[in-house]
Amino acid sequence: DDDDDDDDDDEDDDQKFDEETVRDNANDSDDEEEGYDDEEEINIPDGAIKAFTDFDETADNVTLTNEEVYSALKERVLESAGAFIDLVGGADDDDDKDDGEGDTTSPKVYVTPKTVPDSGLTAGEVVTTVLDALCNNDTPTSDRGIEVLFGYSSPGSIISQAIKVEGMTPLEYGEFLKEDIEYQVLFDHTEVIIDKGDYSFDKKKSFFTARLRIGDGPLDFTSVNFILSTNGQEEDDCWLIDSLLIRPEGMRRRRRR
């Protein structure tokens, strides 16, 4: 009888152990599920998904070239005027201070664009390209900056009309601009800040405002309004300048040139 009692006690202990084990496992499972619930959801960018849409599992080696990666990034970053402004509109003051500490690098040497006009440039990039060219007007040759401006002028612009009708040369147009002291800023500025940008609904017109620094003071800027147009979104279509308008501080209206 004592042996039977011992057997019954062993069975009760085994049953209790099994029940405790089941409860512990259930608690562990609940903890794991809670951990999964607390785990932050991973958001995969659409660009990353699209980049592998055409992935071929049978290929021995699948890679993306630097050019393909840059092209895709450029299209995403510069597909809107606002994005372009965020990219080139200037860093925060704190960033400028941090970057300036111990910076002994030489100023970037200006290199004139080889292709004018360039269909690979966005509207905002055309604005900065032309302004950089005018600021370095005589690099590498006399009035090269005006030549770049000519190259990015649309057929309907006043500049193109002056070239066709009056036969105006880069030298003559440069002298014409420099006669007006307000247009000297195109040649003598020290910094370009893209302040505003927008596109028309059909994406064939763009409107940019650039601020050109003309001194060291916080208000030493002159604004230049640009209107640009393109024929479409084909590979060879270029953004071209319809007009540029100087707007000095405190003045609302100026004639276009």
Side-chain angles (χ1 to χ4, degrees):
D1 292 339
D2 291 339
D3 291 340
D4 292 339
D5 292 338
D6 291 339
D7 291 339
D8 291 339
D9 291 339
D10 291 340
E11 289 179 0
D12 292 340
D13 291 340
D14 291 341
Q15 184 175 358
K16 290 179 180 179
F17 175 77
D18 291 340
E19 292 176 353
E20 292 176 356
T21 301
V22 170
R23 284 196 299 270
D24 290 341
N25 290 338
N27 292 333
D28 291 341
S29 177
D30 292 339
D31 291 341
E32 290 179 359
E33 290 180 358
E34 291 178 1
Y36 284 125
D37 292 339
D38 295 338
E39 189 173 315
E40 185 177 349
E41 182 181 356
I42 299 175
N43 294 321
I44 302 176
D46 293 338
I49 298 175
K50 293 179 180 178
F52 291 94
T53 301
D54 298 327
F55 176 75
D56 184 2
E57 296 182 353
T58 62
D60 295 333
N61 184 24
V62 178
T63 60
L64 294 174
T65 66
N66 290 337
E67 291 77 8
E68 291 172 331
V69 172
Y70 174 76
S71 177
L73 176 62
K74 178 180 175 182
E75 290 177 359
R76 292 295 301 276
V77 172
L78 302 180
E79 64 186 359
S80 68
F84 181 82
I85 294 172
D86 292 340
L87 183 65
V88 303
D92 294 336
D93 293 339
D94 293 340
D95 293 339
D96 291 339
K97 293 178 181 179
D98 294 340
D99 293 341
E101 294 180 358
D103 187 6
T104 59
T105 58
S106 301
K108 185 178 179 180
V109 177
Y110 173 76
V111 178
T112 188
K114 295 180 179 180
T115 303
V116 178
D118 186 351
S119 60
L121 299 186
T122 65
E125 288 174 319
V126 169
V127 170
T128 57
T129 295
V130 168
L131 289 174
D132 286 345
L134 292 174
C135 192
N136 297 274
N137 185 48
D138 295 324
T139 302
T141 58
S142 180
D143 292 307
R144 171 57 181 167
I146 297 294
E147 292 176 357
V148 173
L149 174 61
F150 279 13
Y152 279 107
S153 297
S154 67
S157 66
I158 294 178
I159 294 177
S160 292
Q161 294 303 313
I163 297 172
K164 294 177 181 178
V165 177
E166 302 177 18
M168 187 170 286
T169 66
L171 173 61
E172 293 171 337
Y173 194 74
E175 292 176 347
F176 169 68
L177 288 180
K178 292 174 183 178
E179 288 175 358
D180 190 331
I181 190 172
E182 291 177 358
Y183 279 84
Q184 284 280 353
V185 67
L186 295 175
F187 304 96
D188 296 333
H189 60 273
T190 60
E191 182 184 7
V192 176
I193 298 177
I194 300 297
D195 191 39
K196 298 178 182 178
D198 198 6
Y199 289 97
S200 63
F201 180 78
D202 60 4
K203 302 298 183 182
K204 292 185 177 182
K205 284 275 188 179
S206 63
F207 312 89
F208 278 83
T209 298
R211 288 196 300 151
L212 308 186
R213 178 178 288 280
I214 55 177
D216 298 329
L219 300 179
D220 290 338
F221 286 94
T222 295
S223 295
V224 185
N225 291 352
F226 287 83
I227 299 178
L228 303 92
S229 61
T230 183
N231 291 328
Q233 304 297 323
E234 299 298 328
E235 183 176 353
D236 295 333
D237 290 328
C238 300
W239 281 102
L240 301 176
I241 298 173
D242 294 331
S243 68
L244 62 89
L245 175 65
I246 301 292
R247 287 184 178 274
E249 296 296 332
M251 293 192 66
R252 295 186 176 182
R253 294 187 179 275
R254 282 290 301 165
R255 62 186 180 279
R256 290 182 174 84
R257 294 209 169 194

